[in-house]
Amino acid sequence: MAGIAIGLAVMIIAVAVVIGFKSEVRNKVIGFGSHIQITNLDAVSSYETHPIVVGDSMMTALDGYPEISHVQRFSTKPGMIKTDDAFQGMVLKGVGPEFDPRFLQEYLVEGEIPVFSDSVSSNRVLISKSLATKMKLKLGDKIYTYYIQDDVRARRLTIAGIYQTNFSEYDNLFLLTDLSLVNRLNGWQPEQVTGVELQLKDYDKLEDTTYEIAIDTDNRKDEYGGTYYVRSIEQLNPQIFAWLDLLDLNVWVILFLMIGVAGFTMISGLLIIIIERTNMIGVLKALGATNFTIRKTFLWFAVFLIGKGMLWGNVIGLAFCILQSRFGIFKLDPETYYVDTVPVSFNIILFLLINIGTLLAAVLMLIGPSYLITKINPANSMRYE
């Protein structure tokens, strides 16, 4: 029973943690880069800015796809922050009035998210807490940023808000400000931007929707010669999503190992019970009981023990998930894992499948050992009574 309880608890915890971890990391990547991006083909492997034209007609057309929930433009400009004590490379990302602030609002530590504009510049920025700490900056500070083109251009910006997602690849890189400011720094025409970000209603439709939009948009040229190129968030971040996919393999390994351990425990237990009840089995056979009837009795008894073990396993597993979800008892290094506590996500369907699968696997493993009952001879078993 203990083997079943521990095995099931480990399976529930492993699945909950992996699902939670994948969901947290994926949502942060999507929060920064959306589900689908359309950019210039020449800017595939660089933050250096190559614009495309995204006018009102294109925005309306993209918003018309049934799986698209939100469309927003963005522009980027590589630069550098410099203070009296240090300097740091960064990417200034400009967004317009259609920017969806919900993701950053969730991780806002101080200040506020400005109302971004595509026509005027407020010179206000959002900066990450890790970058602010590194540069010894605080809310309301004026920061000097520098951009290199034909000559060095400088802009003084005010920190309007500080956020912390613990996703270091983005936190240490991006500052958010008005689309208008970034476009002026790039010297672009009114409708030119670095790209457009598309949010989906259903992540499961990512591949199909990306393909559908790419068929309509890829390799078309705008009026200035820029070539449109469509990529999904998985294509933009292949290393991160490949790493997340590897976690599924780890879960399957854990599931098979735990089912194996639980099954071995139950097989050993059933064999011990049969050996201890050899005399009883002989008496039952002498009284006319068939092998099938006796085997069925012992299997039902084993199922009862499995049920008790599964009950305790569920209690342990669910208790861990609830406590970790509410109190974040177990911590992680955000620099390595992108989250500061072990995330858990409870999925009722997977929970039921784990329980049903464990029960079926354990019972099937016991069918073979139960045939030992057929080898017990009543005369021999009762001789030593």
Side-chain angles (χ1 to χ4, degrees):
M1 186 177 78
I4 288 284
I6 295 172
L8 184 60
V10 170
M11 286 188 281
I12 291 173
I13 293 169
V15 171
V17 168
V18 168
I19 293 175
F21 183 77
K22 289 181 67 175
S23 178
E24 281 286 320
V25 174
R26 188 180 71 186
N27 289 343
K28 287 183 181 182
V29 176
I30 292 171
F32 277 108
S34 73
H35 292 94
I36 301 171
Q37 285 188 13
I38 304 175
T39 56
N40 193 314
L41 181 61
D42 295 332
V44 168
S45 58
S46 172
Y47 283 118
E48 192 58 47
T49 47
H50 297 275
I52 54 173
V53 172
V54 180
D56 292 339
S57 59
M58 184 174 182
M59 293 281 284
T60 302
L62 291 172
D63 197 39
Y65 284 90
E67 293 301 326
I68 299 298
S69 62
H70 185 70
V71 182
Q72 61 188 37
R73 299 161 297 162
F74 73 96
S75 291
T76 57
K77 181 67 177 176
M80 181 179 68
I81 305 173
K82 187 178 183 304
T83 65
D84 294 337
D85 303 319
F87 62 91
Q88 172 73 36
M90 58 84 182
V91 173
L92 190 65
K93 181 176 180 179
V95 291
E98 71 275 10
F99 172 71
D100 185 353
R102 286 177 296 176
F103 170 73
L104 285 177
Q105 191 71 53
E106 182 180 348
Y107 296 100
L108 193 66
V109 178
E110 293 182 78
E112 62 179 5
I113 298 176
V115 178
F116 296 113
S117 173
D118 58 358
S119 56
V120 295
S121 300
S122 64
N123 292 325
R124 303 176 76 201
V125 296
L126 281 178
I127 188 172
S128 71
K129 184 176 180 179
S130 59
L131 200 55
T133 301
K134 187 182 298 183
M135 302 297 293
K136 299 179 181 178
L137 298 170
K138 60 183 185 298
L139 188 68
D141 280 357
K142 310 289 185 182
I143 58 174
Y144 287 91
T145 60
Y146 299 87
Y147 311 90
I148 300 175
Q149 288 176 290
D150 298 330
D151 55 356
V152 178
R153 305 179 68 180
R155 285 291 184 277
R156 191 176 76 162
L157 306 174
T158 303
I159 298 176
I162 298 175
Y163 67 91
Q164 182 183 19
T165 68
N166 293 317
F167 202 84
S168 56
E169 292 187 17
Y170 290 90
D171 281 2
N172 293 332
L173 189 62
F174 284 102
L175 276 68
L176 261 70
T177 190
D178 297 298
L179 184 67
S180 172
L181 172 60
V182 179
N183 282 353
R184 282 214 317 273
L185 287 170
N186 285 320
W188 289 344
Q189 299 300 318
E191 291 189 336
Q192 285 185 313
V193 292
T194 297
V196 59
E197 297 174 333
L198 312 176
Q199 292 279 354
L200 297 185
K201 299 174 184 176
D202 184 0
Y203 181 83
D204 293 334
K205 302 290 181 63
L206 177 64
E207 186 175 347
D208 292 339
T209 307
T210 303
Y211 180 76
E212 182 183 356
I213 296 174
I215 290 293
D216 299 334
T217 309
D218 262 2
N219 297 318
R220 282 180 48 209
K221 290 188 177 295
D222 63 25
E223 57 195 270
Y224 299 103
T227 304
Y228 297 101
Y229 185 52
V230 180
R231 287 177 295 170
S232 71
I233 194 67
E234 293 182 359
Q235 293 168 327
L236 286 163
N237 300 275
Q239 300 90 345
I240 293 175
F241 283 91
W243 171 50
L244 293 179
D245 288 339
L246 282 176
L247 296 178
D248 292 334
L249 177 61
N250 295 340
V251 170
W252 282 112
V253 170
I254 291 172
L255 291 178
F256 281 120
L257 285 176
M258 290 300 101
I259 289 176
V261 170
F264 178 78
T265 302
M266 289 307 305
I267 289 171
S268 302
L270 180 62
L271 291 175
I272 292 171
I273 293 171
I274 291 174
I275 293 171
E276 288 179 344
R277 299 290 187 273
T278 299
N279 294 332
M280 185 187 77
I281 294 170
V283 171
L284 290 174
K285 285 188 175 184
L287 293 173
T290 64
N291 286 323
F292 177 75
T293 301
I294 299 172
R295 283 178 54 229
K296 186 170 66 172
T297 302
F298 276 84
L299 285 175
W300 274 113
F301 181 66
V303 169
F304 172 74
L305 294 178
I306 292 170
K308 287 181 66 178
M310 290 180 62
L311 177 62
W312 281 107
N314 282 303
V315 169
I316 295 169
L318 294 177
F320 172 87
C321 293
I322 293 171
L323 290 174
Q324 180 62 23
S325 176
R326 287 181 177 273
F327 304 108
I329 299 169
F330 295 94
K331 305 295 183 181
L332 292 175
D333 178 10
E335 291 294 324
T336 304
Y337 296 101
Y338 306 125
V339 290
D340 54 1
T341 62
V342 175
V344 292
S345 177
F346 184 77
N347 186 306
I348 185 63
I349 295 176
L350 290 177
F351 171 74
L352 293 175
L353 288 175
I354 290 172
N355 276 273
I356 294 170
T358 301
L359 179 61
L360 290 176
V363 172
L364 289 173
M365 288 181 186
L366 294 179
I367 291 176
S370 71
Y371 276 96
L372 178 63
I373 292 171
T374 65
K375 304 298 183 183
I376 297 175
N377 186 288
N380 294 333
S381 65
M382 293 187 292
R383 181 179 301 171
Y384 304 104
E385 181 68 37

